[in-house]
């Protein structure tokens, strides 16, 4: 018997021993039947693969009828030995499937002019069993039967629902329960990821063994972490990269105080910020040196803005129309191909998605969410708590992103006041090129990715896979060419 057959037999025996378990939040029935019901056999236009994939819904609140949609890929080799990694995109209100899976780090990427998927050679399920979830409800295919829920969304609800999702998902897939568990994400997931990690960390101290989650750490990229330093860093980065004039920079510095939590800014600050955001109407804030979408048939070309969500962080910048822009990749019209693909009925059927016939099309970012009930101005207290709790924490930054730039993240990490264990140094890819720079703090590893925009896996797929492999293995990136 070869190793693969042996592993499969062990897995089957494990599942058979659990086949009588009734799964809360999954509609009941035995584990094997529920897993098989979620099995995705083959998507329209999908290249053949040997790893398994599953998709469907997990109920997070039965009374309110809230359910989150997920898409899960087993690791491409030895899934029984690999960790489990949950990926979250931000927004808030943007889809981890539309961005994370289909355009960044997932196994299947959408493409221009073809109703087909292509296999991502740098897919992260080479390193881990890979789980995507559309969160909170109202995003993508995730839904609620209680319309009032949308008006009550915020950081706290999102973290609690994501935790409920995980508890019930592990009941549906108990063979992964003992695996090391990690969370990663980008942008507003700088809130989502640490907050979910904190809920798990706190809950693990009091839950039964059945609901214990084997959380080991998390990683966040180009992440919103602290309003003051994020906003200051955006302005400094724009000036340093010749995006704004000396005069505008001086006005922003003279009239705006980003340390004011209530953001009651002067008229001079408001006028200066209007001029600042005007610049990003003509270039891509998320990737300074990438083209913008100019396809006349593109929804991205004419509708690059997201709805303004009131109450979300950062409190000052989020009030400006220019802050609410959709990210794009090397192909700035990429999001159009993804929306076209995921709105195909045969694709939704294959994914077991949209089973309630949601009365609106799937979009990358929800236009139903207009209010955010809570968003702390800083996530640093949570970071400090989880450092003390012994979790592995990596923060990374694509260095051509103007939205949450490397400048902002460096200011944020400086605010933590952590001891430096190993100073700023380059790290290398396997072709003897500098992949970026890194610094090892006591409790946090910070990594930059050279030439990457906001969505690092889109712009630097090879480097991002190298990064996540080292993060999961708890190994430093190579500081010498190899």
């Amino acid at each position: 018997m070869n190793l693969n057959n042996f592993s499969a037999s062990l897995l089957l025996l494990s599942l058979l021993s659990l086949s009588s378990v009734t799964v809360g939040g999954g509609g009941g029935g035995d584990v094997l039947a529920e897993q098989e019901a979620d099995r995705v056999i083959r998507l329209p236009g999908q290249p053949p693969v040997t790893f398994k994939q599953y998709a469907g819904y997990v109920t997070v609140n039965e009374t309110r009828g809230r359910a989150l949609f997920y898409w899960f890929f087993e690791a491409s080799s030895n899934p029984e030995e690999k960790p489990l990694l949950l990926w979250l995109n931000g927004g808030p209100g943007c889809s981890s499937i539309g961005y994370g899976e289909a355009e960044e780090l997932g196994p299947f990427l959408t493409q221009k002019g073809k109703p087909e998927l292509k296999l991502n050679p740098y897919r992260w399920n080479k390193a881990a069993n890979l789980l995507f979830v559309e969160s909170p409800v109202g995003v993508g295919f995730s839904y609620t039967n209680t319309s009032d829920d949308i008006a009550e969304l915020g950081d706290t609800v999102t973290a609690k629902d994501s935790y409920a999702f995980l508890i019930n998902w592990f009941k549906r897939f108990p063979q992964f329960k003992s695996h090391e568990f990690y969370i990663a994400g980008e942008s507003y997931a700088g809130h989502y990821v640490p907050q979910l990690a904190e809920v798990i960390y706190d809950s693990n101290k009091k839950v039964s063994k059945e609901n214990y989650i084997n959380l080991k750490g998390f990683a966040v990229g180009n992440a919103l972490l602290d309003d003051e330093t994020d906003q200051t860093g955006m302005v400094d980065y724009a000036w340093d990269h010749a995006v704004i004039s000396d005069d505008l920079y001086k006005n922003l510095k003279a009239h705006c105080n980003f340390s004011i939590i209530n953001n009651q800014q002067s008229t001079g600050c408001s006028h200066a910020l209007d001029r600042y955001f005007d610049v990003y109407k003509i270039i891509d804030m998320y990737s300074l040196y990438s083209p913008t979408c100019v396809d006349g048939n593109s929804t991205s070309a004419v509708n690059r803005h997201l709805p303004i969500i009131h109450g979300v962080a950062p409190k000052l910048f989020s009030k400006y129309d220019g802050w609410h822009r959709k990210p794009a990749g090397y192909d700035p019209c990429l999001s159009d191909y993804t929306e076209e693909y995921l709105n195909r009925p045969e694709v939704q059927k294959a994914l077991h998605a949209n089973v309630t016939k949601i009365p609106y099309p799937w979009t990358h970012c929800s236009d139903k969410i207009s209010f955010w009930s809570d968003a702390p101005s800083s996530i640093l207290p949570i970071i400090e708590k989880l450092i003390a709790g012994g979790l592995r924490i990596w923060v990374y930054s694509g260095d051509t992103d103007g939205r949450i730039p490397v400048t902002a993240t460096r200011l944020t990490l400086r605010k933590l006041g952590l001891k430096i264990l190993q100073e700023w140094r380059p790290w290398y890819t396997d072709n003897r090129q500098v992949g970026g720079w890194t610094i090892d703090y006591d409790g946090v590893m910070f990594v930059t990715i050279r030439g990457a925009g906001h969505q690092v896996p889109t712009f630097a797929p090879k480097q991002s896979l190298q990064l996540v492999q080292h993060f999961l293995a708890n190994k430093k990136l190579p500081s010498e060419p190899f």
Side-chain angles (χ1 to χ4, degrees):
M1 179 182 290
N2 66 34
L3 181 60
N4 287 339
N5 289 338
F6 178 70
S7 298
S9 298
L10 286 178
L11 178 60
L12 180 60
L13 286 171
S14 173
L15 288 174
L16 287 171
S17 69
L18 291 163
S19 62
S20 62
V21 177
T22 299
V23 181
D30 66 72
V31 168
L32 282 173
E34 292 207 342
Q35 288 189 22
E36 194 57 32
D38 284 359
R39 178 85 179 272
V40 177
I41 305 303
R42 184 90 177 256
L43 290 163
Q46 177 205 303
V49 295
T50 56
F51 55 82
K52 292 180 180 179
Q53 56 175 319
Y54 301 82
Y57 287 93
V58 172
T59 299
V60 296
N61 188 308
E62 292 187 6
T63 304
R64 310 281 288 186
R66 292 205 299 268
L68 299 182
F69 182 77
Y70 80 91
W71 195 354
F72 170 62
F73 301 89
E74 288 190 355
S76 54
S77 64
N78 303 319
E80 68 281 358
E81 300 174 3
K82 297 268 178 46
L84 174 66
L85 176 67
L86 170 66
W87 174 267
L88 299 173
N89 278 85
C94 293
S95 167
S96 301
I97 285 169
Y99 285 118
E101 196 298 310
E103 298 173 17
E104 298 187 66
L105 56 110
F108 302 129
L109 305 178
T110 53
Q111 52 187 332
K112 181 179 182 179
K114 294 182 180 179
E116 300 173 359
L117 300 170
K118 60 182 177 182
L119 187 63
N120 179 4
Y122 303 108
R123 56 195 179 274
W124 283 18
N125 74 325
K126 287 186 172 183
N129 297 287
L130 191 55
L131 177 60
F132 299 92
V133 60
E134 293 187 308
S135 176
V137 293
V139 174
F141 295 123
S142 295
Y143 68 88
T144 176
N145 292 329
T146 308
S147 57
D148 290 349
D149 284 350
I150 301 299
E152 297 171 2
L153 292 177
D155 284 13
T156 301
V157 169
T158 300
K160 288 181 177 178
D161 277 2
S162 294
Y163 178 72
F165 166 86
L166 287 172
I167 292 295
N168 287 328
W169 189 89
F170 277 118
K171 290 177 181 177
R172 192 174 302 181
F173 291 89
Q175 67 267 38
F176 293 101
K177 197 167 183 308
S178 63
H179 290 223
E180 291 189 348
F181 178 65
Y182 298 88
I183 317 171
E186 69 193 12
S187 196
Y188 200 83
H191 281 223
Y192 289 167
V193 171
Q195 288 167 338
L196 175 56
E198 182 184 33
V199 172
I200 297 171
Y201 176 80
D202 289 342
S203 299
N204 275 349
K205 296 176 180 179
K206 54 191 177 185
V207 297
S208 64
K209 183 178 179 181
E210 179 189 4
N211 289 332
Y212 184 89
I213 295 175
N214 191 21
L215 176 67
K216 295 298 183 181
F218 64 85
V220 288
N222 293 85
L224 194 74
L225 295 170
D226 183 86
D227 281 9
E228 179 189 2
T229 48
D230 287 339
Q231 293 172 148
T232 299
M234 281 184 69
V235 170
D236 289 351
Y237 184 89
W239 177 81
D240 191 52
H241 286 73
V243 171
I244 60 175
S245 68
D246 290 0
D247 178 66
L248 177 53
Y249 181 67
K250 289 177 183 176
N251 281 333
L252 287 163
K253 287 293 188 179
H255 297 294
C256 297
N257 182 352
F258 298 129
S259 65
I260 299 176
I261 294 176
N262 62 14
N263 289 311
Q264 296 300 313
Q265 300 287 349
S266 67
T267 302
C269 177
S270 297
H271 288 161
L273 285 174
D274 284 336
R275 290 172 58 199
Y276 166 82
F277 281 112
D278 280 345
V279 177
Y280 290 117
K281 293 178 181 177
I282 57 175
I283 63 171
D284 190 346
M285 179 189 291
Y286 292 88
S287 179
L288 295 192
Y289 308 113
S290 295
T292 57
C293 184
V294 294
D295 183 349
N297 297 318
S298 168
T299 57
S300 295
V302 296
N303 185 24
R304 290 288 294 150
H305 283 83
L306 304 172
I308 292 179
I309 301 176
H310 299 280
V312 77
K315 296 295 188 299
L316 175 57
F317 276 23
S318 64
K319 295 191 295 185
Y320 287 83
D321 185 63
W323 172 255
H324 302 270
R325 286 184 166 269
K326 291 181 182 178
Y330 275 132
D331 180 343
C333 306
L334 180 60
S335 293
D336 296 321
Y337 322 143
T338 303
E339 292 197 8
E340 181 179 349
Y341 184 82
L342 289 177
N343 276 301
R344 291 168 57 185
E346 65 271 27
V347 171
Q348 294 181 4
K349 182 178 179 181
L351 283 172
H352 318 119
N354 199 15
V355 294
T356 58
K357 302 303 177 186
I358 299 168
Y360 47 83
W362 182 95
T363 59
H364 280 79
C365 300
S366 174
D367 60 2
K368 308 297 178 186
I369 301 171
S370 60
F371 176 75
W372 204 249
S373 64
D374 64 301
S377 61
S378 181
I379 300 296
L380 295 186
I382 297 176
I383 301 286
E384 291 172 330
K385 173 181 176 179
L386 298 179
I387 288 173
L391 291 187
R392 186 183 315 158
I393 301 172
W394 282 34
V395 177
Y396 65 90
S397 185
D399 63 11
T400 66
D401 176 28
R403 175 65 179 267
I404 307 174
V406 63
T407 309
T409 304
R410 293 177 79 177
L411 291 173
T412 299
L413 293 177
R414 185 187 301 173
K415 209 172 185 178
L416 281 170
L418 300 173
K419 179 182 177 182
I420 296 173
L421 300 180
Q422 191 170 1
E423 258 293 358
W424 191 260
R425 63 198 182 278
W427 64 272
Y428 289 84
T429 63
D430 62 6
N431 58 358
R432 301 179 61 85
Q433 298 297 312
V434 173
W437 278 263
T438 182
I439 184 169
D440 188 358
Y441 293 103
D442 187 11
V444 175
M445 182 74 75
F446 176 54
V447 181
T448 75
I449 299 86
R450 191 162 66 100
H454 189 71
Q455 301 153 281
V456 168
T458 300
F459 294 96
K462 186 175 184 179
Q463 295 95 312
S464 78
L465 177 59
Q466 183 179 353
L467 182 146
V468 76
Q469 287 170 331
H470 281 73
F471 163 67
L472 294 172
N474 198 23
K475 292 182 179 179
K476 295 177 182 180
L477 289 157
S479 57
E480 300 289 340
F482 64 97

